[in-house]
Amino acid sequence: MTGDSFARTIAGTAADLPSGHIAVWAEVLSRAHGPDRSVEVALIEARPGHAITIHARRLIDAWRTEAPDLPGPAVALALRSAAQVHQQQTAQRSELVISGPTSPSVSVRLTSSVVVEVIRAARSSLLVVSFAAYGVTAVVDELVAAARRNVHVDLVLESSVEDGGALRGRLGASVAFAALRDLATFWHWPAHRRSTGGTSRPALHAKLIAADDRCVLISSANLTDRALTHNLEVGVVLRNPDLVRKLVAHFTALMRAPAGPLERLR
């Protein structure tokens, strides 16, 4: 049926882009008279990026092919409506999250956007676990904002080899979060609590961000600029409270003195 492809494109765009992008794109579309290239350029310039370019081109091409007489405000309304439906459907659903190259055949969320989304979702607590961390100013800013709205932030981070961890170099992952020194609780896995069997040192290699006991992002991506954007990384967002609660409880137990292997970083 004519228009079905355009409807699917709008739904896919609403599912793939974060809410901030949807709002900005809807504003651009509401001022558009038709599906010309100037609208595509305006969408791209509103939120630059390689993946954004693909989505903008796909939307404009489908609009031109399937519904060229449809006015911009109607397309904007359709995009907002699709985004609302997507948000309601995903409230309890697991989602695939990726960094790096995108696939036109599979709808996925971008890691950088999901990290911000999960942090902003926290009402009382955030558990952040990462092996490496650097160059993530936007993430640090979001964590600072969360701490200042009275969200308790626990940062469980790998140490450098010099400090008994497995992270190469002189500096551990906690350095990236210096702005949170007085706002969050830092945890590490000290050398004397790691097993000594074999020739390699056990690593604190988990990567996750849990908001309260409602949702968690588990990903192969470290909290680094390249991992969140350019590296080929995969992850999943879980919104199963029972499962999230068990995961958070596991780390809480690891932090519990005197038996827990994690120690507060002074």
Side-chain angles (χ1 to χ4, degrees), residues 20-175:
H21 286 62
I22 297 295
V24 172
W25 275 29
E27 286 297 319
V28 172
L29 292 167
S30 67
R31 299 190 297 269
H33 298 291
D36 55 56
R37 289 300 173 191
S38 65
V39 180
E40 178 183 325
V41 171
L43 293 174
I44 295 170
E45 291 180 345
R47 283 291 189 271
H50 175 65
I52 298 304
T53 300
I54 294 173
H55 286 300
R57 183 159 301 150
R58 186 181 303 155
L59 178 64
I60 297 302
D61 287 346
W63 184 7
R64 181 185 299 106
T65 303
E66 298 287 329
D69 297 328
L70 198 65
V75 178
L77 178 60
L79 183 62
R80 287 193 182 101
S81 300
Q84 287 287 336
V85 171
H86 174 71
Q87 290 174 6
Q88 293 170 3
Q89 290 180 338
T90 59
Q92 294 290 327
R93 192 176 68 187
S94 300
E95 292 181 90
L96 181 64
V97 180
I98 61 100
S99 298
T102 59
S103 168
S105 61
V106 180
S107 294
V108 293
R109 302 288 306 283
L110 302 178
T111 307
S112 55
S113 299
V114 173
V115 166
V116 171
E117 182 180 289
V118 171
I119 294 173
R120 289 180 179 178
R123 297 170 184 170
S124 60
S125 64
L126 273 167
L127 171 64
V128 180
V129 185
S130 189
F131 176 71
Y134 54 81
V136 284
T137 302
V139 175
V140 173
D141 290 344
E142 291 293 341
L143 290 172
V144 168
R148 287 177 175 165
R149 65 173 185 268
N150 296 320
V151 173
H152 178 80
V153 180
D154 283 304
L155 292 164
V156 184
L157 305 165
E158 180 60 301
S159 308
S160 68
V161 171
E162 290 187 1
D163 290 331
L167 197 58
R168 295 179 181 177
R170 297 182 298 104
L171 303 176
S174 62
V175 174

